[in-house]
Each structure stands twice: as C-alpha cells, then as structure tokens.
Amino acid sequence: MKRKYIIITGGVLSGLGKGIAIASIGKLLSHDYKVVPIKCDGYLNVDPGTMNPIEHGEVFVLDDGGEVDMDFGHYERFLNVDCKVDWNLTMGKVFNEIREKERKGDFLGKTVQMVPHVSNFIRNRFIEIGEDSKADIELIEIGGTIGDMENELYIDAVRSLARKVGKENVLFVHLTYVPIPFGVDEQKSKPTQQSITLLRKRGIEPEIIIARCSEMLNGKIKNKIASTSNLNNEEIITGIDVDDVYKIPLVFENQGLSQLLARKLNIPIKADLTRWNELIKNKEEAKKEINIAIAGKYTSLEDSYASIIEALHHCSAHFLVKINVKWIDTSEEDIDLTDVSGVIVPGGFGSRGTEGKIKIIQKCRENKIPFLGICYGLQMAVIEFARNVCNKSSANTTEVDENCEYPVIDILPEQKKIINKGGTMRLGAYPAIIKKDSLVYSLYGLDQISERHRHRYEVNPKYHDLLEENGLILSGLSPDGSLVEFIELENHPYFVATQAHPELKSKLEKPAPLFKGLIKAAIKYSEQSELPYQPPILEELRIDEDFVRIDESLEEDEGFGEAENSFEEFENGFRESHL
Ligand code: GLN
C-alpha cells in the first residue's frame, strides 16, 4: 500500500479540539494500520519545554526525551504508539535547521526563501518521517487557525505534498465551528464557509468537514455546507460537544467516518471500538464516588496537569468509580483534607507552594491518607521525611534553598555546569530496578521497569542511608544504584512516590500502575475511614499486569547521556559542593 497522508486544518477559532479530532481519526485506523501522528506548531520556540505551563499547558515528554506539545498526549493515549520528538515540528526547529543548512553551503548560490525552500523542507520532512517510521498512514495536524500568518508555510507544505505524493494519497480534513448564537437559535454556516474560502485561496480543497457544534448538525445546514464546498452531506461530520473526549471516536464512527475514510483513501478499514466502548460505559455507569486532591502550583489551569487527570480517568473506567478532583493551591494557608480519599502531589518547579506541599504530605503520612508523589512530589516527600522523621528540621532542596544545611534533594553535578535552559533536564525514559518485596513491585509485577522523566534534581546519595535507617523504603533505584526512582512507606495504606512521571504512559486500556494502586487504596480508605487503621496486605494491592516492559536497549543505564559521570564522580560532585 502506498503511504497515505491525512491532514487536518482548523478554521474559525482555536481550541476546537483538533488534537482530539485527529487522535480519534487515528483511533479508527490504528486497528489495521501503523499510524504516525505529526504536529506542526507555528511558534519560534524550538520546543514547549521552556514555555509556561499556565499559558501552554502541560509539556508532554516522550521516551526519547523529546519535550513536545500536549497533543502528543492525546495521540499516544488514543493510538497506542510511542511518538518521536521529530514528529513535533515547530517553526523554531525548522528555522534552526534551515539556517544550519545555509551555513553549510547546502543552498550555495541561491537566495533562500520562505517559499519554496522552507515549505519544501517541511514537505520533505513529512515524507522522511513516513519513510523512517514505516508509517502506513501519517496524520498531520497543522496548528492554529487557517489564516494565521505563522502557519502559512505548513499550509504551503501540505499543498505541495499532495502534488509530490499523488492527490489520491492525501486527504484534507477541515475542523470548523457551527455556532448557534443566543437569540437566533439556529445553526449558522457562515464562519465555516469563510474558512473554506481561506483554504481554497491557498490551493486546498477539504474533502471531509468536521463541524464542532453543541447539537448534531441538521439536514439544512449540512446541505448548505456541502453545496458550498462541493461535498456530499455524508462528508460533513458533526463534532458534537461531549463531556468526555474518549467518546469522540465513537461519535465519529456512529456517523460512518471509518467507511468514509476507507472510500476516500481507497483502503479497507475495520475499526474495532468494542473494548473502548466498554471502558467508557464503565466510567459512565460508576456509582461510587471518591475525591482525590491534587496539590500543586498551577491548579488554576487544569491543562498543566492534563496527563494526571487522564490517568485518573483511566482508573475511573478500570475500577468503575467516579473520581472528583479537588484542586488544592499549596501557596494558600488553609489546607483541608477532610473529604478526600487520596492525595497527589504532582511535578513542579521553584519555591512557591513548597512548604504547603510538605505540610500536606505530612498530613497524609501521619493520618494514613493514600498519597502519590510525582517527581517534585517525591522530592517534597523526602524533605518531609528528613525533617519530621529523621529530625533534620532544616532539610530542603537546593532548588528552594541553595545553601541549606541538609540538602536531601540536590542538583546533579553534571547539571550544574549547564547554563542553557532548553532540553537540558534529565528527560525521557530511564530504567529502574525495583525491590522484589516492595509495594511498587507488586503494582508493576516487574523488577525492571521504565518510566519517563523530566527533572534536574535528585535525592542526594549522601542521605540514602539516613533515610533508609529511619524507615523510608527506597523501592526503586537506577540500575547503578545511584538515583532514587521510587520510595514507599510501610505501615501506611498507600504512601508511594516516584521521581518519574508515570501519568505520561497511562492509557484507558492500561492505567498506570501507581495510579491504580492509589485509587484502589483510596476506594478502600473511603470505605474504611471510620474504622481504625489496618495495614494493607500487599497481595491485595497487587495488580497483575505486564505493564511496562523494559526496553532492551535501555538495559544499561545511559544515565545522563554523554555528560554522564560515574557514581563516584557524582558523589564527589556532591561532596565538593556540600562538604
Ligand atoms: N523541580 C524539580 C526538578 O527539577 C522537579 C521537576 C518536576 O517535578 N518535573 O528536579
């Protein structure tokens, strides 16, 4: 089969859910084909790694260490693929490469122009990605809204892609918006017609239109859109507002989208959404409810913790329980955990709100409230333990207090030399060795696992012994034993933290083990909170699933890439800076 390309552009306004739309199209195809998603962002940042999560949402991290747009979270969750950093194009990356080529002399004698040089470069990149990944179908999402200046080169690239690979192998899908203005109470097609005109001006004729609307499109409006865009009514699909984005593949399929795609691309497609459908029903039919608190700094914007929320959704379907998220702003004084059955302290940066997080963790530890610490959450849990159990009241992370007396969390010596901010953290998938008799082991069911990371600081190896002597279980370490990856406590229903971000790999069909552990414990806690505390039986929490297989190539810890030092040097670095 010749490789097919499905391109999605957006019209009228931003935020219509192009990422979900393309992920849902991919879901329909991924049963039969290898589907590779590509996202094109117009900004000049090289990646979103240095962008404020409040403005841009979560930075999604891939196995290969790429920091990419949060749409990759949807792609991976819907398509079950491990994406690659090169699949996220940004104008920052494109211009960097073009300028390097120009300096090397690749364009010698020529004037390097936006069109054709830059747009052809982008088009060729689409083709190369298809070849390298051996994709059957490439899904290309063009960021922004048609007419945005910053995305024009991508639009020109997909226009010329159709000429290069053959029109029959390229399918243009346009996502637009049909408003029902208050007082008019009628579905309106004009914005859609106008955005189609904008596409046509750029040489693109959409073949499928997905119209976001609060109601199913009526026949009249379908006729209108279809006739002005030279399409048939069945080529106009409603992207109806839903309360759960996982329903979108079903919404599309109910309107015959997979067979429409099959006809357009001239390939057989048999979308199988049986399991997906079942899981969504589970969520809907959940009778029991629990409250889970997320205690973080960016709680004003849920998008900053998108993957955590998704991981909770996955558990909700798995355990048939409705999970209400209670946001706790840790920079505020009053922290009330009375109505929660579990607490997540998520990743974070900087000092604001850290004392609040430490206080919450102390409450969880002392009152046996199920707790999951993620990245900064692990670091805060270690500080809390050092202060209140090991009696090192001035323990801290050097991220907050550079000269603290007990730097139980400290920056790696190698990281200290780095001044650039972009892409310089410990990023991507790293393996961990799990202690066989630990709770973490019983959750993963494996003694070697791999999870994704995004951080600069680590539990200071100088304090491993002190923490262990006082009862903190270091349940997972990097293969050379130098870095703490998981911690847990005995005599607590669920007190687990990880330096990694397990939420990034959670899927509807396979929720992340540590989240499953938390929710299982939280359900029990909500039922038993009246009763005296009973220590959990490990077997009870055990979740028998082969979740994260270690990648053979990662068996040897590659640590921090070329800059990696041996453990000895690592320790010396700590000594130099702290003794
Ligand atoms: N700020 C911490 C670090 O850099 C934790 C980062 C995170 O939570 N992602 O190590």
Side-chain angles (χ1 to χ4, degrees), residues 347-349 374-376 379 399 454-457 499 501:
F349 293 85
I374 296 175
C375 204
Y376 217 17
Q379 298 176 358
E399 183 169 356
R454 181 173 189 257
H455 61 114
R456 283 201 174 82
Y457 294 78
Q499 190 57 75
H501 285 274

Side-chain angles (χ1 to χ4, degrees), residues 547-567:
F547 178 67
V548 190
R549 285 239 154 268
I550 193 160
D551 181 343
E552 299 289 299
S553 62
L554 286 172
E555 223 133 88
E556 284 291 307
D557 184 16
E558 310 239 305
F560 298 84
E562 284 167 6
E564 167 74 354
N565 272 7
S566 67
F567 178 49

